[in-house]
Amino acid sequence: MYLVPPGPSPSPLACVRVKNVRRTACRYGHGSALDKALEIYSGDAPSLGYDGLGRYRGGAGLEYVTDASRSLLLEFDNPRVRDDVARYLRRVAPCDTDVGRVQDVYGAYLRGEVDVYQYLVMVNSAAGRTRKDLSRYPVFPWIKDGYGRKDSGFRDFSKPVGRLNPERFKNFKERRASMGGGPGSFLYGTSYSAPGHVLFYLLRTMPTEALCLQGGNFDHPDRSFFDWEACWESVLNNSSDVKELVPDVFEGKALDNRLGIDIGVRQTGERVDDVKLPFGMDAKEFGEWLREELESPACRGKIHSWIDLVFGVNSRGPGAEESDNVFAPSAYYTEADLHGVDEATRERMALEQAEFGSVPDQLFVLPHGRWGSGEDAAGMWRAAVRGDARGREGRGKTPVKKPAAQPPAGDEGVAGERQPAKAPAGAGPGSPSPGATTPAGGVAPSLRSLPPGVAGSSADAPPGTAKEKARTWLSGL
């Protein structure tokens, strides 16, 4: 790949060699809601210097990022150039964010041909989450209702973290009522995934990024990730803590202090080192145990409800209201919301979303099926996948109605929790995309599944059965 830096005088071409491209994915710009980046996964990604996230900025607003996961993130100033590159790479590798790809792997999940862990990796990627962006890091669930014993039950996957403790949830509801309960009011001021949450978990593997976030110092040792059960208790009881997990802990990563970082000493005099884990397990053993629990029949039979909360029908709109899964308006900002506002407002909106977190793109417009439940004869499982999924061919050609100018944001309160702010036009969990009309059932027309023949639909995928295509995708993980 030859990258041409801009400027009045000719500049040398930058050549990046990428071998064995396995898959690609359309991405948002780093720390923004602008859909203009592309991630390339390969068996031999180039090494451009590694600094945790490995960020390297080239000319023309181009950013390409590499790390040990063997992927390359290219960020373009012009989305059309990104689309041209993505269209070319579709000839040699599938794109995670294409509708047909999501449909094929969803079908494999319903047939029980892909495990839960792999499937969550896939839906995170399809929904715009990447390990290259702390503000859009992949989201994984807390799965157990306690960690005092191995045979403890599973959490209620139909409830967001904020509803797991009834007493605490009363406080969230009272706060929302004090805002008036209308558009712009919310239950949770910070999303379940934000840069601060991610670096809380990844302090031991990304110390440089943690130092940047904290202004050159690590957070106080008493607030660090030092004990798994203490973290779970905070998630259940703390009024400003509704964070979910990151995939790294299911891989046995981020739990031991392999780099020997001096995190500090707690007020009890105890030095923070490896995370204290249940049952006397080490990081590798605990990660394996979490994976076993994730793939257990009991979890496989229930986790589709959590997928509805994060990637599906209960992630926004009427479903989010009914599930008490409503976050601050900035968690729902889209590219359309950034158009038609002045530069200062646009920067403020992007900063808000990057700091307080965002919800992933919605992938499903019908309730998600159970693992191994099989495809229904009517083929409704394909219609369940959102038809305008990011990355499909021809995307971005539909005119978008510009929202009204955004009002000032609310002030930041105690412990990083967001205080009331008026909802921007077209944003928020109960609103469809700007300019969309919501028919009965609460699904905007822009969410309908693509019919065969429309570029990006499953019918446009390369020849082969859905089962074969799903296996091809999985082999690229």
Side-chain angles (χ1 to χ4, degrees):
M1 302 181 69
Y2 290 90
L3 312 177
V4 184
S9 59
S11 301
L13 292 177
C15 178
V16 178
R17 298 181 183 275
V18 182
K19 300 179 182 179
N20 304 322
V21 175
R22 294 179 176 271
R23 55 194 177 95
T24 65
C26 291
R27 295 285 182 245
Y28 293 101
H30 184 74
S32 79
L34 299 179
D35 186 7
K36 59 178 183 176
L38 181 71
E39 189 164 10
I40 304 171
Y41 299 85
S42 73
D44 188 22
S47 175
L48 302 177
Y50 175 60
D51 64 348
L53 289 180
R55 194 164 300 114
Y56 174 87
R57 290 191 178 278
L62 178 73
E63 178 182 51
Y64 42 108
V65 182
T66 63
D67 67 8
S69 66
R70 292 186 175 182
S71 72
L72 181 71
L73 184 64
L74 299 167
E75 182 176 336
F76 302 91
D77 268 349
N78 190 333
R80 284 192 282 275
V81 177
R82 189 282 308 271
D83 290 343
D84 288 342
V85 175
R87 188 175 299 110
Y88 176 81
L89 289 176
R90 279 184 179 90
R91 303 175 185 176
V92 296
C95 181
D96 289 357
T97 44
D98 282 351
V99 175
R101 180 61 46 184
V102 181
Q103 289 175 328
D104 292 339
V105 182
Y106 181 37
Y109 181 84
L110 296 179
R111 295 189 297 270
E113 297 170 357
V114 54
D115 63 35
V116 176
Y117 170 80
Q118 288 177 309
Y119 186 68
L120 291 181
V121 170
M122 176 266 162
V123 293
N124 268 284
S125 180
R129 314 301 282 198
T130 170
R131 300 196 197 204
K132 297 301 190 340
D133 188 347
L134 295 175
S135 66
R136 296 183 185 276
Y137 206 80
V139 187
F140 267 58
W142 288 94
I143 58 176
K144 305 290 282 186
D145 64 4
Y147 295 88
R149 63 180 197 276
K150 287 188 177 181
D151 61 350
S152 61
F154 291 89
R155 68 175 269 192
D156 187 340
F157 288 110
S158 68
K159 297 178 180 178
V161 166
R163 268 191 65 190
L164 295 179
N165 182 336
E167 291 302 315
R168 180 180 66 166
F169 182 63
K170 289 180 182 178
N171 297 330
F172 287 137
K173 292 193 72 173
E174 290 173 359
R175 181 177 67 174
R176 189 181 190 192
S178 71
M179 302 178 199
S185 65
F186 53 85
L187 292 166
Y188 320 111
T190 304
S191 177
Y192 41 74
S193 178
H197 300 156
V198 174
L199 289 177
F200 171 84
Y201 290 122
L202 302 185
L203 168 64
R204 293 163 178 81
T205 57
M206 288 187 176
T208 303
E209 286 70 26
L211 287 172
C212 290
L213 185 70
Q214 297 293 336
N217 298 289
F218 291 131
D219 198 3
H220 194 284
D222 286 285
R223 291 193 293 267
S224 67
F225 185 28
F226 69 93
D227 184 289
W228 183 271
E229 291 187 72
C231 180
W232 170 240
E233 289 301 315
S234 174
V235 166
L236 277 183
N237 301 301
N238 192 311
S239 62
S240 60
D241 190 355
V242 295
K243 62 179 176 288
E244 293 279 9
L245 290 173
V246 294
D248 305 67
V249 299
F250 288 83
E251 300 160 358
K253 302 175 183 176
L255 299 174
D256 52 0
N257 191 10
R258 297 182 184 182
L259 299 179
I261 302 167
D262 184 5
I263 302 173
V265 179
R266 303 182 65 223
Q267 292 182 4
T268 59
E270 182 180 11
R271 179 164 293 279
V272 178
D273 193 32
D274 295 345
V275 178
K276 288 186 177 179
L277 300 172
F279 324 125
M281 293 181 175
D282 61 26
K284 182 175 182 294
E285 293 169 335
F286 189 67
E288 291 174 349
W289 178 76
L290 284 177
R291 290 279 290 270
E292 290 174 0
E293 293 298 300
L294 185 66
E295 304 301 339
S296 66
C299 186
R300 284 178 169 179
K302 300 176 180 178
I303 200 168
H304 59 277
S305 297
W306 182 84
I307 296 174
D308 282 336
L309 286 173
V310 179
F311 305 102
V313 293
N314 297 330
S315 63
R316 42 180 54 75
E321 292 286 350
E322 295 170 5
S323 303
D324 296 308
N325 192 34
V326 181
F327 297 89
S330 64
Y332 306 92
Y333 287 160
T334 66
E335 185 170 5
D337 296 312
L338 301 183
H339 289 297
V341 298
D342 60 75
E343 186 64 26
T345 301
R346 186 181 301 113
E347 290 180 1
R348 187 264 302 167
M349 293 170 66
L351 182 61
E352 272 191 337
Q353 189 171 74
E355 180 176 354
F356 294 103
S358 62
V359 300
D361 293 343
Q362 183 178 355
L363 298 179
F364 306 99
V365 294
L366 295 176
H368 199 281
R370 295 175 186 269
W371 182 90
S373 60
E375 305 165 2
D376 62 81
M380 288 301 292
W381 63 277
R382 286 196 179 278
V385 177
R386 176 172 170 154
D388 63 341
R390 296 175 59 250
R392 66 175 173 84
E393 292 282 359
R395 48 181 297 287
K397 294 182 179 178
T398 303
V400 179
K401 180 180 178 180
K402 295 182 179 180
Q406 310 301 322
D411 296 326
E412 182 181 347
V414 179
E417 265 291 305
R418 189 79 62 80
Q419 301 304 308
K422 186 177 179 182
S431 304
S433 301
T437 304
T438 305
V443 179
S446 62
L447 306 186
R448 289 182 228 158
S449 180
L450 288 175
V454 175
S457 69
S458 181
D460 297 322
T465 65
K467 185 180 298 186
E468 291 170 344
K469 286 182 282 188
R471 286 173 178 164
T472 300
W473 186 91
L474 294 172
S475 67
L477 286 176

